[in-house]
């Protein structure tokens, strides 16, 4: 059956109109609606859960970050700045080799089995470092005191939280390094410990960035 040229043109015109309408609805109106609702109802989350200190954005409450000393000449990896609370190990992370202006944190797990020799050595080294760094005058950390999150990275490598046990383990070091009473630092950890979501989901946790911001304020006021 032959289809006339006017009929073909009408079909093409209808298809074009449908394409334009769908593009307008799904590509413009719907995104604007969702963005407007998100900004109106959840502005903090919609904008990346930004965390501010001293009038500027210092990170996101959803992404962990390092608290290290500047890299010295000849060092392969920087040393942790022990005046700050430290987060989980980041062995699963890499750096961005495409954008040469700055390094981006890349999310990724270690992808090694539990009996992998390299992973076992990472955990042993991390445990030894936790014991060494946090054993200060009058307070010695025992191997049994070290929680799992102190020596293992999360699945994404970007976990912003640590367990209350790991935060408590660091209290004496933080107090000594910053000239603070141990009781004040313990109270700071307690204030920033979040319980399980809805009372039963997940585990109690402490956001390291928010805790360090509060620590900086405490040091300034002390």
């Amino acid at each position: 059956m032959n289809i006339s040229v006017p009929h073909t043109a009408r079909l093409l015109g209808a298809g074009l109109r449908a394409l334009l309408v769908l593009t307008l609805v799904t590509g413009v109106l719907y995104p604007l609606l969702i963005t407007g609702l998100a900004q109106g109802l959840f502005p903090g989350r919609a904008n990346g859960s930004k965390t501010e200190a001293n009038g500027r954005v210092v990170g996101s409450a959803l992404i962990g970050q390092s608290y290290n000393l500047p890299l010295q000449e000849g060092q392969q990896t920087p040393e942790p700045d022990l005046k700050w609370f430290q987060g989980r190990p980041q062995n699963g992370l890499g750096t961005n080799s495409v954008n040469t202006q700055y390094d981006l944190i890349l999310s990724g797990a270690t992808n090694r089995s539990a009996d992998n020799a390299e992973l076992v050595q990472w955990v042993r080294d991390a445990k030894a470092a936790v014991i060494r760094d946090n054993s200060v005058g009058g307070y010695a950390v025992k191997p049994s005191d070290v929680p799992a999150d102190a020596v293992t990275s999360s699945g994404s490598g970007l976990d912003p939280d640590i367990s209350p046990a790991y935060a408590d383990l660091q209290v004496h070091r933080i107090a000594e390094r910053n000239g603070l009473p141990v009781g004040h630092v313990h109270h700071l950890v307690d204030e920033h410990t979040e319980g399980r979501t809805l009372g039963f989901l997940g585990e109690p946790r402490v956001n390291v960035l928010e805790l360090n911001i509060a620590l900086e304020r405490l040091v300034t006021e002390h």
Side-chain angles (χ1 to χ4, degrees):
M1 181 177 65
N2 294 327
I3 300 177
S4 64
V5 173
H7 181 65
T8 302
R10 285 196 297 273
L11 289 176
L12 289 174
L16 181 59
R17 287 193 296 274
L19 175 62
L20 292 175
V21 169
L22 289 174
T23 299
L24 178 64
V25 172
T26 62
V28 179
L29 297 180
Y30 180 74
L32 286 176
L33 174 63
I34 297 302
T35 300
L37 288 174
Q39 289 291 339
L41 297 175
F42 313 103
R45 295 182 181 180
N47 291 321
S49 299
K50 298 175 183 176
T51 300
E52 295 187 1
N54 301 319
R56 63 187 182 90
V57 175
V58 295
S60 169
L62 303 177
I63 300 177
Q65 56 182 275
S66 300
Y67 302 90
N68 294 329
L69 295 168
L71 189 65
Q72 300 297 314
E73 185 176 353
Q75 284 185 325
Q76 295 294 324
T77 56
E79 295 180 0
D81 189 343
L82 297 178
K83 72 178 183 181
W84 301 111
F85 283 95
Q86 297 293 316
R88 299 185 65 172
Q90 300 175 338
N91 292 333
L93 301 185
T95 55
N96 185 355
S97 59
V98 177
N99 188 329
T100 58
Q101 293 181 333
Y102 53 85
D103 289 335
L104 296 176
I105 295 178
L106 303 183
S107 174
T110 56
N111 291 325
R112 288 166 173 79
S113 63
D115 61 351
N116 177 269
E118 187 176 26
L119 178 60
V120 170
Q121 191 60 50
W122 281 349
V123 171
R124 287 175 176 168
D125 291 345
K127 191 168 188 176
V130 168
I131 294 171
R132 180 186 66 247
D133 292 342
N134 292 282
S135 294
V136 297
Y139 177 77
V141 177
K142 301 188 295 260
S144 59
D145 294 333
V146 181
D149 63 304
V151 297
T152 57
S153 60
S154 63
S156 68
L158 302 178
D159 194 343
D161 304 319
I162 57 176
S163 65
Y166 187 27
D168 285 336
L169 184 147
Q170 301 182 60
V171 162
H172 286 79
R173 166 177 54 81
I174 293 294
E176 181 179 85
R177 294 272 177 162
N178 292 281
L180 296 170
V182 171
H184 288 191
V185 183
H186 266 303
H187 181 65
L188 199 68
V189 171
D190 291 341
E191 284 185 327
H192 289 81
T193 298
E194 301 178 45
R196 292 180 172 87
T197 303
L198 301 178
F200 66 94
L201 294 176
E203 295 293 332
R205 58 200 179 276
V206 182
N207 187 279
V208 181
L209 175 58
E210 294 175 355
L211 181 60
N212 278 330
I213 291 172
L215 172 62
E216 184 179 34
R217 286 197 299 265
L218 181 63
V219 170
T220 301
E221 295 168 357
H222 184 69

